[in-house]
Amino acid sequence: MTPAQTPAQPLLIVGSIAFDDLDMPTPDGIRPHRDVLGGAATYSSLAAAQLTRGGVRVVGIVGTDFPEAHLEGLRSRGIDTAGVERAQGKTFRWHGRYSSDLSSRTSLDTQLNVFADFSPKIPAAYRNSPFVLLGNIHPKLQVDVLDQVQQVQKPRLVVADTMNFWIEGEPAALAKLLARIDLLVINDEEARQLSGIQNLVRAAADIRKRGPSMLIVKRGEFGALLFDEAGTFFVPAYPLEEVLDPTGAGDSFAGGLLGYLAARGEVTPGSLRKALYFASSLGSFCVEGIGPSRLLSLTRAELAARISAFARLVDHGGELALPI
Ligand code: AMP
């Protein structure tokens, strides 16, 4: 079977589902947005569902205050929410305030609520998922998810995200996770912190020795770098005239990446490089709206147009021989 004929494969996404309170800068001061649908699993699944019909399966936890309409919104986009647990209590809530140029943000408040006791239970029907995205949760829980999935079969691709909180606070648990994953997706600051090495190329080599054969380092508006067996590859961020809200861009990037690979059903250095353009495109749409609003309104035609624009952005004519 040629790669083009490989059928789409199910994708399991585990992570936070949240209410976000976002303080966004405007020329007239801070504009508050309250009770915005958020969470890493929300952004990743919405992005992935734009690219694959193979089945995006979400595992997360919400409280009794979480509107069923939000879950219905995910389902209407083909996302399977049977793995979203509803627990007594309040949904995870995060409050962030962005700097005036949107380049940094401060977490003003994090209320774990039902997320504090989250112990992901992977439904039996999800355990055969060949593609797995472990969103940023405690590395012990990420390993626990893998244990449940691997009882049935070894996934074709396991991807994980993490953050400074776990790098600082849970290095031993994180080391165990790294030994079990194929691809780590983190930002440049996290790569430096995890490796203790300032130079990103050396940092990447160090991290890949700890387990993941592939590493993606996200650099926000400066694009992303992939390090794998075939070498180093760069994808830019799509240049936008207006950025409204960077929340969830990294999660949308990861969702786009996995959505593309799951739809193609194969992981090769070539498919990974193509997937990075879809990842970057989904990240670029995410930041064009407050919360996940732009991902929710995104049409197939708009996505196709951005991918074409992306291809033109990096097309230099196909030959770069020295002129003399
Ligand atoms: P990103 O901008 O890609 O880092 O993702 C932002 C999303 O992560 C927001 O929607 C938050 O609800 C969620 N989030 C913030 N803090 C945490 C945390 N400690 N654990 C899990 N998810 C979080």
Side-chain angles (χ1 to χ4, degrees):
M1 192 179 261
T2 64
Q5 292 169 309
T6 310
Q9 302 288 314
L11 164 62
L12 170 64
I13 296 176
V14 184
S16 57
I17 300 174
F19 286 129
D20 290 344
D21 292 327
L22 305 171
D23 293 351
M24 306 310 301
T26 72
D28 311 317
I30 293 284
R31 170 142 186 235
H33 299 268
R34 297 292 174 255
D35 297 335
V36 178
L37 173 64
T42 307
Y43 284 103
S44 295
S45 61
L46 284 171
Q50 290 284 345
L51 296 170
T52 183
R53 296 202 176 88
V56 178
R57 303 157 162 181
V58 185
V59 170
I61 190 165
V62 297
T64 43
D65 55 351
F66 194 78
E68 193 58 29
H70 281 331
L71 295 177
E72 187 46 47
L74 298 182
R75 285 194 288 272
S76 71
R77 286 161 181 82
I79 299 164
D80 184 340
T81 62
V84 177
E85 188 183 334
R86 193 182 278 279
Q88 280 300 321
K90 287 186 183 169
T91 301
F92 173 72
R93 185 175 278 274
W94 175 72
H95 185 177
R97 176 169 293 173
Y98 283 86
S99 61
S100 54
D101 64 356
L102 295 178
S103 67
S104 62
R105 70 183 181 203
T106 312
S107 288
L108 296 181
D109 191 24
T110 301
Q111 293 172 24
L112 292 175
N113 299 328
V114 294
F115 200 51
D117 300 316
F118 183 43
S119 166
K121 288 173 222 49
I122 310 303
Y126 287 9
R127 293 187 185 194
N128 63 353
S129 304
F131 289 80
V132 178
L133 174 57
L134 303 169
N136 163 37
I137 52 176
H138 194 302
K140 263 191 200 147
L141 296 180
Q142 292 174 308
V143 167
D144 188 46
V145 169
L146 277 186
D147 285 340
Q148 294 178 55
V149 169
Q150 287 179 345
Q151 276 170 13
V152 173
Q153 68 176 37
K154 191 177 178 330
R156 197 173 303 177
L157 181 72
V158 177
V159 181
D161 182 11
T162 191
M163 68 188 287
N164 52 4
F165 185 73
W166 307 121
I167 296 171
E168 277 162 33
E170 294 287 344
L174 191 55
K176 282 190 186 145
L177 172 76
L178 291 180
R180 303 226 356 224
I181 63 171
D182 304 301
L183 168 61
L184 181 69
V185 184
I186 51 178
N187 67 34
D188 42 7
E189 213 178 294
E190 291 157 352
R192 292 189 171 107
Q193 194 183 11
L194 177 59
S195 62
I197 299 171
Q198 190 63 18
N199 177 283
L200 278 183
V201 179
R202 291 203 186 121
D206 175 88
I207 293 167
R208 289 178 61 219
K209 278 192 210 133
R210 303 177 191 206
S213 63
M214 299 168 272
L215 173 72
I216 291 173
V217 178
K218 295 172 289 176
R219 309 191 70 192
E221 63 178 311
F222 304 111
L225 287 165
L226 162 72
F227 300 88
D228 70 357
E229 59 179 275
T232 306
F233 182 74
F234 172 69
V235 63
Y238 188 78
L240 295 170
E241 262 181 53
E242 192 174 44
V243 173
L244 284 187
D245 173 15
T247 310
D251 306 312
S252 304
F253 179 98
L257 185 91
L258 269 288
Y260 180 82
L261 291 172
R264 289 282 303 267
E266 55 147 16
V267 185
T268 62
S271 67
L272 198 51
R273 281 157 175 73
K274 289 197 177 76
L276 277 167
Y277 283 92
F278 290 85
S280 192
S281 293
L282 265 308
S284 74
F285 278 115
C286 174
V287 304
E288 286 185 313
I290 299 292
S293 58
R294 188 68 185 94
L295 291 181
L296 287 163
S297 69
L298 182 59
T299 65
R300 191 174 167 76
E302 288 170 329
L303 180 53
R306 178 143 310 167
I307 292 294
S308 300
F310 225 130
R312 290 195 297 277
L313 177 73
V314 295
D315 180 10
H316 52 75
E319 176 242 327
L320 281 177
L322 279 173
I324 53 166

